[in-house]
Structure formats: C-alpha cells, structure tokens
Amino acid sequence: QIRVEAHEVVNCAGLAAPAVARALGLTQDVPTPHFCKGNYYALQGSGRAAKPFSRLVYPLPEKNTSGLGVHATVDLAGRVRFGPDVEWLPSTSEDGRRMEEMAYDAAADIYRVDASRSDAFYAEVRRYWPGLPDGALVPDYSGIRPKLSAAGEPAVDFRIDAVSSNGRPSIINMFGIESPGLTASMSLADEVLRRLSASSE
C-alpha cells in the first residue's frame, strides 16, 4: 500500500473518476457512473473503394442520443473506420468485477467487437453513403465512454467539481470526460488551473 500526501489533488481518472472520488472519502455529489461501449468497424478493400472520404463525415444528430452517431473517421494513413455505436454495459461483469476495473484491462473480453453488430453498422453508414458495398466492413476496435446519464436520458456535459478545504479547493474532480475531452484537454487543464489559482490569490 502506498500513501501519498498532497495539498491539491486533480482526479481525472476517466472511467474510474467516481470510484477515485469515493476512495478519497467523498460521499456527496459523486455521480453514479454509466458505461457506454463504442464499437468501430473498418473499411476493407483496395484502391479508391477503400478510401471514399478524405475527411470526417458525421450524420445529423438525433435528440437524446448517447453519441454523435456512427460517423466516418480517417486515420493518418487514410484508412477509414466507422463508429462508434452505442452499447450500454452493466456496472459489474458476470464474474463480479466492477466495470471500472475491467475497463483498464486491455485484454478483457469486454473490448471484443461483436461481428453480429455489422447489420446495424451497414444500415447507419448507408444513411450517408448508400454505395457502401456488401462485405466491406470488418470488426475493428472498441472503447468505453464514462457517461453521467443513463440510457434514454438526455446527455449530460462534463462536470468539473471543486471540493474545498479551509476555504480553498483541495480536490478537483473531473467526471464524465468522454473522448471529446482529449480534444479539449488543454482547455480543461486551463480551467482546472484557473480554479486552483483563483483560490490562492
């Protein structure tokens, strides 16, 4: 067991952020985590058929959805992938492990992309690319998003909570930081620093 002492703690543990907050002794206003898996399928083939897009393609968003829809992404090599979809996961696995623990096991079966989801992917992609050939999609990879809202509920934005001690924030909790948080990481860091700096002035 390791003991760490600090004047300030920034809890940005992603999927495990609520669990870390509780481990720090916090009991009030700690959200219940919801785990939303997003699967991706890759486009296989060669030549122009394998590279139909040169930039991202997003479908029109729908109300009260848990993601941005199955969109087209293009990596640095020009490979096209489609995803993520929405697959809600239970808080515990069949063997009793908590999802926030399993999520940090890269070899966990939970990250396997189920090939039976392909029919739904073909239907979603053909909404904006009707020419998608049969047999062109193969299961690729997946990730798990930390959600603050449950299935069917309106989406909830990131939460940055400050817990004060002696009149100044000592713990900053960052809850529900999904993948857009990577894009916004520098701005999120600026906001955390602003809150910590304001308290010391």
Side-chain angles (χ1 to χ4, degrees), residues 108-122:
D109 189 59
I110 197 66
Y111 285 107
R112 183 180 60 84
V113 178
D114 187 349
S116 69
R117 303 181 76 84
S118 63
D119 288 346
F121 268 80
Y122 279 103

Side-chain angles (χ1 to χ4, degrees), residues 6-7 28 31 42 59-60 62-63 66 69 78 89 106 117-118 127 145-146 152 175 186 189:
H7 293 292
Q28 294 183 335
L60 291 174
E62 298 179 3
K63 187 177 181 180
S66 300
L89 302 175
R117 303 181 76 84
S118 63
R127 292 172 56 197
R145 293 163 278 189
F175 297 127
M186 299 305 290

Side-chain angles (χ1 to χ4, degrees), residues 9-79:
V9 174
V10 178
N11 171 17
C12 51
L15 295 163
V20 170
R22 288 190 293 271
L24 292 171
L26 305 178
T27 56
Q28 294 183 335
D29 298 324
V30 176
T32 299
H34 303 282
F35 304 97
C36 184
K37 180 180 177 181
N39 300 282
Y40 281 83
Y41 273 70
L43 181 65
Q44 64 179 348
S46 59
R48 295 186 61 184
K51 298 181 179 181
F53 310 114
S54 60
R55 35 185 72 81
L56 305 181
V57 179
Y58 285 84
L60 291 174
E62 298 179 3
K63 187 177 181 180
N64 288 349
T65 56
S66 300
L68 297 175
V70 174
H71 53 273
T73 64
V74 184
D75 65 20
L76 294 177
R79 189 181 186 209

